[in-house]
Amino acid sequence: MHDLGGPRRGGQRGGNLVTYLRRIIKPRQMDFEYTFWTLMQLCISPKTAYRHTAYQKQTKNQWARDDPAQVMVTCALVTLASTAYCITFGDSISHSILTVLSAVVVDFLLLGFAIATAGWFVANHFLRKKPQLHQVEQHVEWLYAFDVHCNSYFPLFLILYVLQFLLSPLLLWHSFLATALSCALFTFSLIYYWYMTFLGYSALPFLEKTEVFLWPAGLILLSIPFAVLAGFNPSRFTLSLYFG
């Protein structure tokens, strides 16, 4: 795993990860107050949230958060929201448990690991500026890439889990209005996810051409008109995958 602070040794990098993982079972060491402040800023002023990454670097010599509080809070929120879907649309306890586990482990964590790894790889191999003379070469930490995913995921969660649930009686209609509204909901949430990802990587001063993280948003915009014209309702499609 690359480290952002320059040529630090693998043992120190491993120590940072071990410390991060140990705090999962030590809630008293997690900063939940800062976590909820960050979640609020991600919705109303995401640039403010990312400006605090510089403070993190100055005080702890790393850009990534050093505790898993936001991951734990997000897992809890996804669990609660998924449970609400299961109560409304599910048909058995066993299937509901699998659905909740899938939402947390697959949709949030494993997919997040994959996206974070891809972003970490692209940023380190293609987007780093060439260091000037006497400058320390810097790299993107994998944990920071995962932080970016977690930050980007929260607004998406509010839209595709909470708002979609509240609007589901309308979104599940077999009508053009329902299809258009569902497509608009998914389009906005996914574009905002990639915009937040772009903000996360552009906050690092040693990266350039971070606009590459906006490319998926452009592809989504191009595909949505075809989805609407074809009558594809992503809300009905998603719920059918989980609940049949």
Side-chain angles (χ1 to χ4, degrees):
M1 187 185 301
H2 285 296
D3 184 80
L4 194 62
R8 289 200 271 178
R9 296 294 181 261
Q12 187 170 354
R13 296 197 298 268
N16 290 339
L17 181 58
V18 169
T19 300
Y20 183 91
L21 294 176
R22 281 177 178 172
R23 289 183 175 176
I24 293 177
I25 58 174
K26 296 180 179 180
R28 292 183 180 180
Q29 295 185 8
M30 299 186 198
D31 191 348
F32 288 102
E33 182 179 354
Y34 176 73
T35 294
F36 286 112
W37 178 87
T38 300
L39 294 177
M40 181 181 67
Q41 293 303 318
L42 291 173
C43 297
I44 63 177
S45 180
K47 291 183 179 179
T48 299
Y50 276 116
R51 277 199 292 268
H52 279 69
T53 58
Y55 176 76
Q56 178 82 10
K57 175 64 174 175
Q58 293 168 3
T59 57
K60 300 183 179 179
N61 198 30
Q62 64 180 48
W63 297 88
R65 284 187 289 265
D66 60 352
D67 77 75
Q70 185 170 334
V71 176
M72 303 305 293
V73 168
T74 304
C75 285
L77 291 174
V78 172
T79 298
L80 290 174
S82 301
T83 301
Y85 275 91
C86 291
I87 292 173
T88 305
F89 301 103
D91 55 4
S92 69
I93 295 178
S94 59
H95 182 264
S96 296
I97 293 173
L98 289 176
T99 299
V100 172
L101 288 175
S102 176
V104 175
V105 177
V106 178
D107 297 350
F108 173 51
L109 293 176
L110 292 183
L111 186 58
F113 292 163
I115 294 175
T117 301
W120 165 81
F121 179 85
V122 169
N124 279 320
H125 288 80
F126 303 108
L127 305 181
R128 286 188 297 127
K129 298 177 182 177
K130 292 183 179 180
Q132 301 296 320
L133 189 63
H134 304 305
Q135 280 188 335
V136 176
E137 186 177 10
Q138 300 190 78
H139 298 83
V140 178
E141 303 158 349
W142 186 89
L143 276 177
Y144 181 80
F146 187 65
D147 280 349
V148 171
H149 160 71
C150 293
N151 289 341
S152 303
Y153 189 87
F154 182 67
L156 180 144
F157 161 80
L158 292 178
I159 298 171
L160 292 189
Y161 279 77
V162 180
L163 184 58
Q164 180 178 240
F165 179 78
L166 296 175
L167 295 177
S168 58
L170 173 60
L171 295 173
L172 297 180
W173 284 358
H174 289 272
S175 67
F176 178 81
L177 176 62
T179 297
L181 182 58
S182 178
C183 286
L185 204 67
F186 272 74
T187 299
F188 180 77
S189 62
L190 293 173
I191 288 178
Y192 198 71
Y193 176 92
W194 288 108
Y195 171 69
M196 293 284 290
T197 301
F198 159 73
L199 289 182
Y201 286 98
S202 62
L204 302 181
F206 58 89
L207 295 183
E208 61 182 357
K209 300 178 181 178
T210 52
E211 295 82 4
V212 68
F213 293 104
L214 293 175
W215 290 1
L219 294 176
I220 293 168
L221 277 176
L222 289 175
S223 63
I224 283 301
F226 298 100
V228 174
L229 292 175
F232 176 73
N233 186 315
S235 296
R236 284 205 306 269
F237 175 77
T238 303
L239 290 178
S240 68
L241 288 179
Y242 283 107
F243 304 106

